[in-house]
Amino acid sequence: MSLKVAVFMLALLCVCCVHRCVCFPNGSVAFSCGNMMPVHPPFTPSTSSPPFTVSTSAATYRPGDVITVTLAVVDNSSSQFQGFLLQARSRAQQALLWPVGKFTNINASQVTALHCKNIQNSTVSQASGDKKNEVRLSWEAPSSRNYGDVYFSATLVQDYSSFWVGLNSSSVKLDVSGSSAAAVSSSSALLFINLLSLTVYY
Ligand SMILES: *[C@@H]1O[C@H](CO)[C@@H](O)[C@H](O)[C@H]1NC(C)=O
Ligand SMILES: *[C@@H]1O[C@H](CO)[C@@H](O)[C@H](O)[C@H]1NC(C)=O
Ligand SMILES: *[C@@H]1O[C@H](CO)[C@@H](O)[C@H](O)[C@H]1NC(C)=O
Ligand SMILES: *[C@@H]1O[C@H](CO)[C@@H](O)[C@H](O)[C@H]1NC(C)=O
Ligand SMILES: *[C@@H]1O[C@H](CO)[C@@H](O)[C@H](O)[C@H]1NC(C)=O
């Protein structure tokens, strides 16, 4: 049995077990919205120093602000990344397992918008397995002040066997002179996403 067939069967098995998922035509890799872990059996996240960084255009935000988040290769590294998963998380409410805010100005030829935890565009991923040195994303802060300081957490995939989970930006602090509004809640999901097209495609 080839690796492709094996991975496909595993993906099918997961589809059958999973409560709810989004299946893409090329979908072969599952990402968990909660721990942002790609399912790349039998590989586990790399523990070596990551060749990638997650940075932001601002150190503070007000509700509704749009800031730029950049995923990039560290200086002088020859590494590139093929896949990514990115969300903002609240620091104020550590218990929150869901992303906050949403990504905007999504260029669908580069970026796939995901609706983790039913929050539209709360998470972004790659649109193709092309090798990348840098990806810039626009993120719109929630209209509520309830989330306090936030940070961005990314999974970056160099190739099928090398990926880093929990690459986090510095905190983006809530500017307390902002205004207030709504809140969000939700349920769980697993997403089957079009990752590298390295495994199953048909
Ligand atoms: C698989 O993905 C590629 C590039 O992302 C796309 O061009 C192709 O149409 C997709 N295949 C299917 C069956 O959707
Ligand atoms: C990258 O390479 C340049 C030129 O060789 C060097 O000046 C710079 O210090 C290097 N940066 C890092 C982070 O190693
Ligand atoms: C979207 O990305 C494609 C491919 O990189 C690029 O050619 C195009 O100009 C982008 N569109 C916008 C509106 O930025
Ligand atoms: C999510 O992004 C898509 C573009 O990918 C856009 O059409 C849609 O309006 C966005 N939804 C929200 C709630 O911002
Ligand atoms: C980065 O953030 C994630 C998600 O909140 C967390 O699980 C992980 O421990 C953080 N990573 C580090 C190195 O602190």
Side-chain angles (χ1 to χ4, degrees):
M1 184 162 67
S2 77
L3 180 63
K4 282 178 185 174
V5 173
V7 171
F8 177 66
M9 290 180 70
L10 187 75
L12 261 189
L13 185 71
C14 292
V15 170
C16 298
C17 306
V18 164
H19 172 59
R20 186 155 44 88
C21 74
V22 179
C23 298
F24 290 79
N26 286 336
S28 57
V29 173
F31 263 127
S32 157
C33 280
N35 63 15
M36 302 180 67
M37 192 77 81
V39 180
H40 279 189
F43 300 101
T44 53
S46 175
T47 52
S48 66
S49 174
F52 310 116
T53 58
V54 183
S55 58
T56 59
S57 62
T60 63
Y61 77 96
R62 291 188 191 190
D65 272 1
V66 173
I67 69 178
T68 302
V69 188
T70 303
L71 305 177
V73 171
V74 298
D75 280 352
N76 299 348
S77 168
S78 59
S79 305
Q80 291 182 301
F81 56 99
Q82 293 182 274
F84 64 86
L85 187 74
L86 176 70
Q87 304 179 339
R89 294 293 186 94
S90 168
R91 279 220 193 279
Q93 305 188 38
Q94 292 288 1
L96 287 186
L97 287 176
W98 55 82
V100 301
K102 64 177 186 180
F103 290 87
T104 62
N105 293 325
I106 292 162
N107 183 340
S109 65
Q110 300 175 318
V111 175
T112 303
L114 303 174
H115 313 304
C116 277
K117 301 287 182 181
N118 279 348
I119 309 168
Q120 277 226 345
N121 305 345
S122 62
T123 303
V124 283
S125 183
Q126 77 291 334
S128 81
D130 295 349
K131 294 190 173 180
K132 305 168 239 300
N133 289 312
E134 183 176 281
V135 173
R136 285 168 187 266
L137 300 133
S138 300
W139 176 82
E140 184 180 319
S143 53
S144 163
R145 301 169 66 173
N146 296 342
Y147 300 101
D149 299 349
V150 301
Y151 65 102
F152 293 86
S153 186
T155 296
L156 279 155
V157 179
Q158 185 172 352
D159 56 40
Y160 190 86
S161 59
S162 304
F163 52 92
W164 285 261
V165 175
L167 299 184
N168 300 336
S169 72
S170 304
S171 289
V172 180
K173 296 191 186 306
L174 175 67
D175 178 341
V176 289
S177 58
S179 64
S180 144
V184 281
S185 71
S186 158
S187 64
S188 71
L190 259 180
L191 295 161
F192 280 77
I193 73 154
N194 164 15
L195 185 57
L196 303 178
S197 306
L198 283 179
T199 49
V200 181
Y201 42 85
Y202 67 102

